[in-house]
Amino acid sequence: MSGTKKLGLRQRYEHMTRGLDWETTYQPMDKVFPYDQFEGIKIKDWSAWEDPFRLTMDAYWKFQAEKERKLYAVLDSFAQNNGQTGISDARYANVLKLFLTGVSPLEYAAHRGFAFTGRHLRGSGTRVACQMQSIDELRHVQTQIHTISHFNKYFDGLSEFPHMHDRVWYLSVPKSFFDDARTAGPFEFMIAVGFSFEYVLTNLLFVPFMSGAAYNGDMSTVTFGFSAQSDESRHMTLGIEVIKFLLEQHPDNLPIVQKWVDKWFWRGHRLLGIVAMMMDYMLPKKVMSWKEAWDIYFTEAGGALFQDLARYGLKMPKGAEIATAEAEHISHQNWCTFYQYTHAAPFHTWMPDNEHLDWLSEKYPNTFDKYYRPRWEQWAKMDKEGKRFYNGALVQLCQTCQIPMVYTEPGDPNTICFRETQHGGQRYHFCSDGCKDIFDNEPEKYIQAWMPVQQIFQGNCGGPTVPDVLNWYNLKFGVDNMDYAGSPDEALWNEWHADKVKAAS
Amino acid sequence: MSQLASITLMQNDDARPVIDSIIADNPGVKILTMPGAIKLDCEGKITVNRASVEERLGRPWNLQELHLVLISMAGNLDEDDDYFTLSWRH
Ligand SMILES: [Fe+2]
Ligand SMILES: [Fe+2]
Ligand SMILES: [Zn+2]
């Protein structure tokens, strides 16, 4: 080979990936790719697509295999060392319950979504990037199930995760998010998941939260988290490439893309409220508050991004300011909801103790002492008197995000926010202007939503009483649900620790 | 308004020479350490240089090995054999 100049990464990549596509002749291209026009997006030149990561298929397999080897080495040693006994506190296991029932199935949905776009977008560069991402997402769901299966040997609330994802009231929030994205056209899916979710929002889930897993002694979860996140860097880059590509291809694409960015930012913000609660209330040892994470990953990182995209005329998502204001409320409003409905959720809740309340006061100086601390203190008092507060009413749901209508008016945290729309002789309810706008743009889509509470009332969820419904969820009453205090998880944890104390003395 | 280019890496032995070379090669870099992760931010632009990592590692290093320790990033990516740059400049 002497005398032959070695090709650079750029040229190597070009040779390996370009010119492999062809114009079909047995069938017209429009029939082979039937879905990439109805959304109104105009593409003049698919070959203008740039792959920022110049990762060829052989390099992709090599690196992914290496990541898997490293991850499974950690999982084995965690199991061999009984890592579950070394976590900060058994309360921690409840974040894994939420993660496995609420998030891991979304990885699978993302796998399916990218397999679809990887089939149906006309450009070969885009197709390859989507196919790689589709395989990544399958890896994510598999490694998450493998990792958390170890905890399932000891803790309740994990074993029925796919069944619960399809049935439990609040799990329709994440489920419907991805159902909405996957039933959109391929371009909207790319903006929804590739750009809005992966680029703008997933850092909030996978960086500070996974760092929190490490801090709480769960080396297995942080390892799958960061292993998945190493793929996310590629996914984020695909997301930013997609939006630039669409905006560069035709000026008519701008208003369509802006509408999708507004919609999916808002839907993502609503979805991540659950992560806010995990960070502020559920991690026994805390890394940073939700508000701090929001400032870093949305205000600062999102700010830089939208400043860059302003050259195409794209604006900050419509709900950005409201979402930022809500970052000081959302975790509190969510945990308060689960505290009241602890009987209806397959994970444990608890009252923040004094040290935790002080931490929240310090992290939320504008809101916590004024609006939320008094509520916790009141509930603590009632609990002491033997009157622990349970909410027995079925909640009203937002027709778009499917979250109970528990959020407050922008600028007025003492008033619940209600919005409504009349459509086809029916009244539909919304938690916010953001969710109402989304419905009003596509009412025919959202009137078909599978609304958990309405389904209960219609008799489709096992029966009319709460025990009937919980049974239909495969939720074991007194085991999977209710407060951590008095749970079998707590008893097991205390037993492990009694053993440790005995061994030490 | 400030526009930070950013890279987040795992805090482990594989990543250490990469972290050190980023700190050395990007004056003014800001460091945020979290359990298990480190976020490095630099105004406008941040670069990983292959030569700089190799010097610390004492062996040849393929820049794409970065994928094994990368957690997150912000900025437009420019990747070649010798450098990996994230930037908001055009
Ligand atoms: Fe994923
Ligand atoms: Fe992803
Ligand atoms: Zn809503």
Side-chain angles (χ1 to χ4, degrees):
Chain A
M1 289 292 283
S2 62
T4 317
K5 201 167 164 282
K6 216 182 143 211
L7 296 176
L9 177 65
R10 234 174 259 262
Q11 295 99 317
R12 239 166 32 238
Y13 185 80
E14 290 264 332
H15 281 291
M16 299 284 282
T17 56
R18 289 296 186 262
L20 301 174
D21 214 20
W22 68 94
E23 285 272 329
T24 57
T25 51
Y26 294 174
Q27 292 288 333
M29 288 289 272
D30 285 350
K31 266 190 151 175
V32 177
F33 297 101
Y35 298 124
D36 70 354
Q37 286 175 356
F38 77 89
E39 296 173 276
I41 291 290
K42 294 179 182 155
I43 305 293
K44 288 184 299 198
D45 178 16
W46 275 106
S47 72
W49 175 268
E50 282 258 8
D51 305 298
F53 273 116
R54 301 194 171 94
L55 195 62
T56 52
M57 221 52 196
D58 60 333
Y60 172 76
W61 290 119
K62 189 178 110 198
F63 289 123
Q64 296 305 93
E66 186 66 27
K67 289 178 190 175
E68 294 279 276
R69 255 197 304 280
K70 288 184 178 192
L71 170 63
Y72 281 87
V74 173
L75 297 192
D76 282 343
S77 71
F78 189 82
Q80 284 157 11
N81 287 302
N82 283 319
Q84 74 284 355
T85 65
I87 55 175
S88 56
D89 184 81
R91 286 178 183 82
Y92 167 79
N94 293 288
V95 303
L96 299 178
K97 301 174 191 180
L98 260 176
F99 197 94
L100 188 66
T101 53
V103 179
S104 301
L106 302 189
E107 302 275 15
Y108 183 66
H111 155 67
R112 294 183 60 184
F114 279 99
F116 180 83
T117 48
R119 162 64 183 83
H120 285 291
L121 290 174
R122 206 166 293 215
S124 59
T126 333
R127 284 213 307 278
V128 170
C130 288
Q131 283 166 15
M132 280 184 186
Q133 178 156 354
S134 176
I135 297 165
D136 292 336
E137 303 297 1
L138 191 58
R139 177 176 101 85
H140 297 172
V141 63
Q142 287 174 337
T143 54
Q144 288 165 20
I145 294 167
H146 283 156
T147 304
I148 300 176
S149 70
H150 179 72
F151 288 88
N152 178 53
K153 294 175 188 164
Y154 307 98
F155 296 106
D156 299 312
L158 292 162
S159 59
E160 293 291 330
F161 75 94
H163 181 88
M164 286 179 171
H165 185 71
D166 289 337
R167 298 189 177 199
V168 175
W169 53 286
Y170 61 89
L171 295 175
S172 79
V173 175
K175 184 183 167 73
S176 67
F177 177 96
F178 258 91
D179 284 353
D180 188 356
R182 290 200 296 118
T183 50
F187 288 113
E188 182 177 345
F189 178 83
M190 293 298 287
I191 297 298
V193 179
F195 177 74
S196 301
F197 196 64
E198 298 273 15
Y199 198 96
V200 186
L201 298 168
T202 46
N203 272 320
L204 283 157
L205 172 59
F206 275 97
V207 186
F209 174 70
M210 287 301 167
S211 174
Y215 200 42
N216 283 276
D218 183 0
M219 292 319 293
S220 60
T221 295
V222 64
T223 309
F224 87 59
F226 286 164
S227 186
Q229 195 62 27
S230 68
D231 300 340
E232 294 306 319
S233 302
R234 199 155 19 78
H235 303 174
M236 291 168 71
T237 308
L238 175 58
I240 196 173
E241 198 47 50
V242 153
I243 203 156
K244 287 194 286 190
F245 178 69
L246 296 190
L247 295 172
E248 275 165 14
Q249 283 294 313
H250 203 286
D252 289 356
N253 295 342
L254 175 63
I256 304 174
V257 169
Q258 181 75 56
K259 202 167 236 184
W260 289 338
V261 167
D262 293 347
K263 166 180 172 181
W264 288 99
F265 168 78
W266 188 256
R267 291 222 62 182
H269 159 62
R270 277 291 179 251
L271 177 62
L272 287 187
I274 213 152
V275 185
M277 171 183 104
M278 286 153 93
M279 283 179 62
D280 284 346
Y281 282 89
M282 298 180 76
L283 287 177
K285 287 171 72 181
K286 289 154 192 75
V287 171
M288 63 172 82
S289 69
W290 175 253
K291 166 73 177 141
E292 287 167 326
W294 185 267
D295 286 345
I296 295 173
Y297 289 106
F298 183 71
T299 310
E300 192 179 287
L305 170 68
F306 281 97
Q307 209 178 311
D308 187 60
L309 295 173
R311 69 202 146 104
Y312 300 111
L314 194 79
K315 295 196 193 68
M316 269 304 245
K318 206 173 171 188
E321 266 170 45
I322 293 175
T324 294
E326 287 185 352
E328 295 193 76
H329 296 276
I330 203 145
S331 67
H332 315 299
Q333 298 183 351
N334 280 350
W335 190 243
C336 283
T337 305
F338 281 106
Y339 178 83
Q340 296 171 60
Y341 286 94
T342 187
H343 48 288
F347 64 89
H348 301 304
T349 55
W350 52 88
M351 176 88 66
D353 64 15
N354 282 334
E355 193 190 326
H356 188 169
L357 290 173
D358 290 344
W359 182 83
L360 290 166
S361 294
E362 182 204 319
K363 294 296 180 185
Y364 292 91
N366 302 325
T367 55
F368 192 69
D369 285 351
K370 208 166 163 193
Y371 304 108
Y372 304 105
R373 192 163 184 146
R375 195 182 303 179
W376 288 119
E377 287 168 348
Q378 170 66 16
W379 280 340
K381 196 169 140 251
M382 289 169 67
D383 191 23
K384 237 188 190 154
E385 293 162 357
K387 291 184 275 186
R388 197 250 187 239
F389 180 66
Y390 299 97
N391 196 329
L394 293 192
V395 287
Q396 185 180 48
L397 302 177
C398 169
Q399 186 74 24
T400 301
C401 69
Q402 307 200 6
I403 296 175
M405 307 269 286
V406 296
Y407 297 136
T408 51
E409 281 289 349
D412 179 10
N414 284 318
T415 306
I416 298 284
C417 183
F418 289 103
R419 299 289 181 272
E420 62 173 62
T421 287
Q422 298 277 350
H423 181 86
Q426 298 262 357
R427 190 196 306 264
Y428 295 92
H429 302 279
F430 308 97
C431 71
S432 55
D433 292 324
C435 281
K436 178 176 151 55
D437 286 350
I438 292 168
F439 178 96
D440 288 345
N441 280 324
E442 291 166 280
E444 295 79 9
K445 183 170 197 179
Y446 295 99
I447 59 172
Q448 300 175 57
W450 191 91
M451 306 298 292
V453 172
Q454 283 86 326
Q455 291 296 322
I456 292 171
F457 282 130
Q458 286 171 30
N460 296 329
C461 303
T465 68
V466 171
D468 290 334
V469 175
L470 298 183
N471 200 33
W472 185 75
Y473 290 169
N474 286 359
L475 187 157
K476 287 190 268 335
F477 201 97
V479 174
D480 296 334
N481 62 351
M482 306 300 274
D483 279 330
Y484 172 72
S487 68
D489 277 7
E490 186 198 39
L492 179 69
W493 181 253
N494 289 342
E495 198 182 297
W496 288 346
H497 281 263
D499 287 349
K500 273 191 187 167
V501 172
K502 242 187 279 162
S505 60
Chain B
M1 205 180 107
S2 150
Q3 256 187 322
L4 295 176
S6 174
I7 184 162
T8 305
L9 300 169
M10 295 181 199
Q11 287 239 39
N12 61 23
D13 210 50
D14 289 339
R16 219 149 281 137
V18 187
I19 295 167
D20 291 345
S21 72
I22 295 173
I23 293 170
D25 295 350
N26 295 273
V29 69
K30 287 198 297 177
I31 303 169
L32 174 68
T33 39
M34 292 176 258
I38 183 166
K39 184 176 191 293
L40 302 159
D41 298 328
C42 213
E43 193 53 52
K45 177 178 166 209
I46 194 163
T47 297
V48 184
N49 293 306
R50 182 176 56 85
S52 188
V53 177
E54 287 183 341
E55 204 176 288
R56 285 167 177 81
L57 200 59
R59 66 159 172 90
W61 184 71
N62 178 343
L63 241 166
Q64 292 194 323
E65 287 181 51
L66 191 62
H67 283 284
L68 299 172
V69 293
L70 189 61
I71 293 175
S72 185
M73 52 194 226
N76 295 301
L77 171 64
D78 182 16
E79 186 196 27
D80 211 328
D81 284 307
D82 299 324
Y83 63 87
F84 180 100
T85 296
L86 293 156
S87 110
W88 293 115
R89 294 176 195 151
H90 294 282

